[in-house]
Amino acid sequence: EGKYLDSRAIYVVHNLGYQGQYPHVDVCRFLSVHEQAAGDLAFGDCVNLSKGALICSDRVLTVSPNYAKEIQTPQGGFNLQDFVRAKKESGRL
């Protein structure tokens, strides 16, 4: 019994400013994924691995409760705050 018992993938955020962005690439070709999965990884004209991790992980952990709040704001979310807030609203942040 526990919070993480059924989690298969946990994403730990240390610094959301480093997102694993690869600009001007075709997601499907870059990572050899199907078009359906590419939407989770694409952000504008970039591959964004942090966006994909936020969407696909079962749980998201941060270095502190305060940092979890900070990355839900436009100032601290580096354009991913909506995805972070979605995790929070689903009870998985």
Side-chain angles (χ1 to χ4, degrees):
E1 200 176 312
K3 248 185 198 182
Y4 308 106
L5 187 63
D6 294 325
S7 297
R8 292 176 291 158
I10 297 175
Y11 177 47
V12 180
V13 181
H14 176 72
N15 185 337
L16 199 57
Y18 296 95
Q19 297 179 9
Q21 291 184 357
Y22 299 90
H24 312 296
V25 297
D26 178 337
V27 179
C28 297
R29 291 184 59 162
F30 186 71
L31 294 172
S32 298
V33 297
H34 191 271
E35 284 184 38
Q36 190 172 0
D40 291 341
L41 298 164
F43 196 64
D45 68 343
C46 295
V47 170
N48 189 310
L49 299 178
S50 290
K51 177 195 172 212
L54 286 166
I55 291 172
C56 297
S57 62
D58 296 310
R59 295 275 180 186
V60 175
L61 304 178
T62 63
V63 294
S64 71
N66 190 54
Y67 191 60
K69 292 175 186 172
E70 182 181 327
I71 62 175
Q72 294 178 63
T73 68
Q75 297 80 14
F78 297 94
N79 297 316
L80 295 179
Q81 62 273 6
D82 294 337
F83 301 103
V84 176
R85 278 196 300 266
K87 273 299 188 213
K88 172 70 174 170
E89 290 169 5
S90 70
R92 297 185 291 159
L93 172 66

